[in-house]
Amino acid sequence: MSMLQKNYTVLKEEDIHQHQEDDITTISTVLSVSRVAACILLRRYNWNVSDVHEEWFNDEERVRKAVGLPDKPTIQISNVEEVKCGICFENHPFDHINTAACGHPFCTTCWKAYISTSINDGPGCLMLRCPDPSCGAAVGQDMIDLLASVEDKERYHRYLLRSFIEDNRKTKWCPAPGCDSAVEYVVGSGNYDVTCSCNYSFCWNCTEEAHRPVDCDTVAKWILKNSAESENMNWILANSKPCPKCKRPIEKNQGCMHMTCTPPCKFEFCWLCLGSWTDHGERTGGFYACNRYEAAKQEGVYDESEKRREMAKNSLERYTHYYERWATNQSSRQKAFGDLQLMQSVHLVKLSETQCQPESQLKFIIEAWQQIIECRRVLKWTYAYGYYLPDHEQTKRRFFEYLQGEAEAGLERLHQCAEKELQNYLNADGPLKEFSDFRTKLAGLTSVTRNYFENLVRALENGLVDVDSQAACSKSISMVTAAGTSKAKNGKGKGSR
């Protein structure tokens, strides 16, 4: 949200390829090995140049053995007319024989079949070894380029490119559908939220959508809860009772207490006391009451089951409260994103013509919508934060709800100004002198809202440690809000609904 220096870099495919080639060149130069050998070493150590340097200079012989880079061939073949292939066991002319660094001879046909099968099996072909069962020599990219088909070579190079991202602890693919970009992150730099060039924001740590101020563990629990069967079970427990005969859950959808189980059971019973309906009638209170239940309740017979049902109902209502607001802010964010795209593609040009303003002078509107989208995301995740806030920390909860309420009110003011008040200028027949005041108001609300949400994020990420100084914090926030409102008033508008 803030304008701090980015701690990540977005990489396109050509950038990834260039980074990969640069690392190969570095290892090849420093260790005085071929580029093929350098590539094998980097794959073995997850494309970490420092690890390759450290391990190589610590024990070169052990590293060579581990990665399959013998310093000399195991088998020397002199210039003979024919050589027996180690796979098909047929004699072939010497110029039809190929070997890896180990020197084990195999004919071109068998090599091609071996390489093609390995590539078709998936990314494991990047760790391909000599076909000889007793040999661990690596099969490098030079053999692939020499013997593989065009299609197989393309697939191999695609695997190689992807391995640079997927095996590297500093890089990850953007999880947005259809996006081929990756993100290189400065590990240990703190904030995990990153935004790809496709405008998708995600958490680099867990690759879920960006979720500050909520931590990754809370997000995982919340997503699991939203998709789990646990809430279905809570609903069943809160809104149904088991048939006394077959134990299947029955939902009461009419006012009468006379229940009939579904076939093949068809057992008739009382909803309140779960007794057989044959024992009921006018003497037990009729169809809409059950004095047997009331009497048993007073005696404590149904206390435990009713308590469980009441707890389930309260739990479901609490979850529904937070989930509905979480989902509503998500919908508002998606709507705002669509409004931003419409503003950039259509309305900005129209506004520029109507108000006789160059588009470069209307960036404050785009910035307002971008801020709305970001704040909707933050506000959405504050509801997951609130759901998992411990019930016994009442002071902290009240402080949180106060901050959340103020944030929501400030965002609504900004959203209304950008959505409703802007329409007056979009629909105008010509330039309006009030547009300058509108610019001041919207820019002021954007700045105030940004500052408030940044403070909110910091407070929640710090676990609301300043809860004891709530009064001081409230006073500070009120002063900031008042300053922003004062700015907005210069634009002849209150900036609130």
Side-chain angles (χ1 to χ4, degrees), residues 90-102:
E90 293 184 2
N91 290 328
H92 295 272
F94 184 76
D95 58 354
H96 288 183
I97 293 292
N98 296 94
T99 68
C102 56

Side-chain angles (χ1 to χ4, degrees), residues 291-331:
N291 54 25
R292 282 187 173 188
Y293 170 75
E294 295 300 329
K297 186 176 180 181
Q298 290 178 2
E299 296 172 5
V301 175
Y302 297 112
D303 283 356
E304 194 60 35
S305 60
E306 285 300 313
K307 187 182 294 184
R308 286 200 306 271
R309 188 168 287 107
E310 190 65 25
M311 287 175 63
K313 190 172 183 179
N314 292 339
S315 173
L316 185 62
E317 287 175 352
R318 181 173 179 272
Y319 167 71
T320 302
H321 168 85
Y322 285 98
Y323 178 78
E324 283 180 347
R325 285 153 181 80
W326 180 86
T328 297
N329 276 286
Q330 170 65 2
S331 298

Side-chain angles (χ1 to χ4, degrees), residues 383-426:
Y383 283 100
Y385 184 98
Y387 180 80
Y388 289 105
L389 199 60
D391 289 334
H392 65 273
E393 297 184 358
Q394 288 300 319
T395 305
K396 197 172 273 192
R397 178 171 288 280
R398 284 194 296 270
F399 186 41
F400 161 73
E401 289 174 351
Y402 167 77
L403 293 176
Q404 187 186 51
E406 289 292 302
E408 195 150 19
L411 177 55
E412 287 301 319
R413 285 193 292 270
L414 173 62
H415 205 153
Q416 174 172 289
C417 184
E419 187 175 48
K420 304 294 184 185
E421 297 182 31
L422 181 61
Q423 290 298 320
N424 298 329
Y425 304 99
L426 281 173

Side-chain angles (χ1 to χ4, degrees), residues 18 98 218 240 293 300 302 398 452 460:
Q18 188 59 53
N98 296 94
T218 301
S240 68
Y293 170 75
Y302 297 112
R398 284 194 296 270
Y452 190 96
L460 298 187

Side-chain angles (χ1 to χ4, degrees), residues 215-384:
D215 60 56
C216 297
D217 290 340
T218 301
V219 170
K221 287 192 295 184
W222 180 253
I223 291 174
L224 180 63
K225 188 169 188 65
N226 293 346
S227 61
E229 292 295 317
S230 60
E231 293 312 313
N232 291 341
M233 295 308 298
N234 267 342
W235 189 94
I236 290 171
L237 185 58
N239 298 281
S240 68
K241 291 183 179 182
C243 168
K245 185 177 180 181
C246 71
K247 306 303 179 185
R248 281 188 296 180
I250 304 292
E251 179 190 2
K252 182 175 179 296
N253 56 10
Q254 294 182 9
C256 177
M257 299 301 167
H258 180 194
M259 307 297 294
T260 302
C261 187
T262 54
C265 178
K266 295 186 177 181
F267 181 70
E268 299 181 40
F269 63 94
C270 170
W271 173 259
L272 290 175
C273 73
L274 301 181
S276 174
W277 191 252
T278 56
D279 299 331
H280 289 66
E282 291 298 326
R283 66 183 184 281
T284 62
F287 288 99
Y288 294 91
C290 179
N291 54 25
R292 282 187 173 188
Y293 170 75
E294 295 300 329
K297 186 176 180 181
Q298 290 178 2
E299 296 172 5
V301 175
Y302 297 112
D303 283 356
E304 194 60 35
S305 60
E306 285 300 313
K307 187 182 294 184
R308 286 200 306 271
R309 188 168 287 107
E310 190 65 25
M311 287 175 63
K313 190 172 183 179
N314 292 339
S315 173
L316 185 62
E317 287 175 352
R318 181 173 179 272
Y319 167 71
T320 302
H321 168 85
Y322 285 98
Y323 178 78
E324 283 180 347
R325 285 153 181 80
W326 180 86
T328 297
N329 276 286
Q330 170 65 2
S331 298
S332 296
R333 183 173 183 267
Q334 290 174 336
K335 171 68 166 55
F337 190 75
D339 289 342
L340 171 61
Q341 291 180 317
L342 189 63
M343 177 60 66
Q344 291 174 316
S345 60
V346 178
H347 290 165
L348 209 62
V349 176
K350 179 182 178 182
L351 191 65
S352 175
E353 294 173 352
T354 304
Q355 300 302 321
C356 300
Q357 298 270 346
E359 288 187 34
S360 59
Q361 296 296 316
L362 301 176
K363 287 183 179 178
F364 71 97
I365 299 175
I366 302 301
E367 290 174 359
W369 278 108
Q370 289 173 336
Q371 194 60 48
I372 290 168
I373 292 169
E374 174 66 5
C375 290
R376 285 292 176 196
R377 181 192 65 76
V378 171
L379 193 59
K380 176 182 79 168
W381 284 110
T382 62
Y383 283 100

